[in-house]
Amino acid sequence: METKPKYLYKNSKRLDGRNLDDYRKMKIKMDVVPNAQGSAEVIFGKTKVTAAVHGPRVMHPRRLALPDKALLRAKYDMFSFSVEDRKRPGPGRREIEISKVTAEAFRSVVFLEKFPRTVIDLFVSVTQADASTRITGINAASLALAAAGIPMRSLVVGVTFGKIYDEKGVGHVAIDVDKPEDQWGMADVAYARAPATGDVVLLQMDGDMTKEEFDKGKKMADKAIDVVYKAQIKALKDKFEVSK
Ligand code: UDP
């Protein structure tokens, strides 16, 4: 969307017809990359992200290996054709940052100490972007790691939230922001939790929110996270039951 819309929220509906606490239609597909140890695709509306896990395998060059645990690396990439204006290929500042926060989100969750001197590589590829790609990637990566049989203290589940304006310019808190809401909205927050440990593993905010707005958005996102968590567990159960 090139010009700033007059509103992102009107008559109790967002531009795509959602309520403030609706997330977009979500889909999970397991085992989408046969060569990987574990893989999954997660779709939120028009945002589609695939995650693939390779490892744990022996670290080369050996000098980079950690003596007491595995090194968990993440590479986030957005395909050139995943966005409206073709994206310049290759990693820029944004991709480097998202790769870093993605790896960090899983380091406290994976039992890295069980695999000393090895590397676990996580590849996160955005095939279609309509905002919230880092969080969709985190959901896909959680499933890919579990599918690879890598022991984890918890799955990792995320949902974004933000603040969108109505025709009077008043802000409203909404979850699972899409591209116009990310681009023109007053604030957006990337938020992911490890439900089994209770830890927040990723939290990044753009824009401004009051504490009350933040708390409200987090509460709404937490409700959606409970549903996405159940969907992750179901996808894994179905996978392992079928492959038994
Ligand atoms: N985007 C884009 N071109 C770019 C980078 C981002 O069109 O080079 C879009 C894309 O839809 C992305 C959104 O802007 O999902 C928001 O990007 P942001 O950096 O906020 O991260 P995200 O919300 O995807 O985690």
Side-chain angles (χ1 to χ4, degrees):
M1 200 178 286
E2 287 308 312
T3 46
K4 185 171 176 170
K6 287 201 175 70
Y7 51 83
L8 292 165
Y9 184 63
K10 195 181 176 183
N11 300 332
S12 305
K13 292 282 173 213
R14 293 154 76 173
L15 290 187
D16 65 359
R18 280 187 288 159
N19 297 321
L20 293 169
D21 58 353
D22 285 341
Y23 53 87
R24 291 170 287 181
K25 193 169 178 192
M26 183 198 39
K27 271 195 213 155
I28 293 175
K29 292 184 198 164
M30 298 303 300
D31 304 327
V32 289
V33 183
N35 285 347
Q37 256 88 55
S39 64
E41 181 186 48
V42 174
I43 302 173
F44 274 84
K46 286 184 276 176
T47 290
K48 292 189 174 192
V49 186
T50 294
V53 170
H54 293 268
R57 56 197 153 104
V58 175
M59 179 74 184
H60 290 291
R62 297 230 168 161
R63 69 187 151 76
L64 295 182
L66 304 174
D68 55 343
K69 59 183 178 190
L71 177 68
L72 193 152
R73 301 188 291 203
K75 191 167 181 293
Y76 165 100
D77 194 19
M78 214 160 74
F79 289 2
S80 294
F81 50 82
S82 65
V83 288
E84 272 171 38
D85 304 320
R86 181 182 171 278
K87 189 197 148 282
R88 205 165 153 262
R93 227 185 112 256
R94 178 177 172 275
E95 286 73 23
I96 292 167
E97 173 208 320
I98 298 179
S99 298
K100 182 175 180 289
V101 296
T102 300
E104 282 168 3
F106 287 98
R107 279 192 195 131
S108 65
V109 166
V110 174
F111 284 96
L112 296 173
E113 59 278 17
K114 288 198 186 287
F115 308 101
R117 314 200 70 78
T118 67
V119 60
I120 300 170
D121 277 310
L122 188 55
F123 295 95
V124 177
S125 304
V126 179
T127 50
Q128 236 178 240
D130 188 23
S132 303
T133 61
R134 79 192 64 197
I135 286 300
T136 308
I138 293 264
N139 287 309
S142 167
L143 289 159
L145 284 161
I150 294 175
M152 293 154 83
R153 293 176 179 85
S154 173
L155 292 168
V156 172
V157 192
V159 170
T160 60
F161 58 98
K163 185 161 76 161
I164 56 177
Y165 54 89
D166 63 21
E167 69 275 29
K168 290 185 188 128
V170 177
H172 300 265
V173 177
I175 65 161
D176 186 28
V177 295
D178 63 14
K179 179 73 200 312
E181 293 173 340
D182 180 288
Q183 186 175 357
W184 304 113
M186 301 153 105
D188 59 87
V189 180
Y191 167 51
R193 278 199 295 125
T197 64
D199 292 337
V200 172
V201 294
L202 189 148
L203 188 64
Q204 294 183 285
M205 179 159 88
D206 257 348
D208 290 316
M209 267 187 189
T210 63
K211 180 165 186 314
E212 288 69 34
E213 287 165 342
F214 181 89
D215 289 345
K216 188 175 175 186
K218 185 173 165 296
K219 212 170 172 184
M220 285 159 71
D222 274 331
K223 263 195 175 168
I225 280 176
D226 289 344
V227 182
V228 180
Y229 183 37
K230 285 192 184 122
Q232 283 199 16
I233 291 170
K234 181 176 183 306
L236 289 164
K237 272 192 180 156
D238 289 349
K239 169 191 158 52
F240 286 111
E241 266 166 24
V242 169
S243 49
K244 240 195 271 170

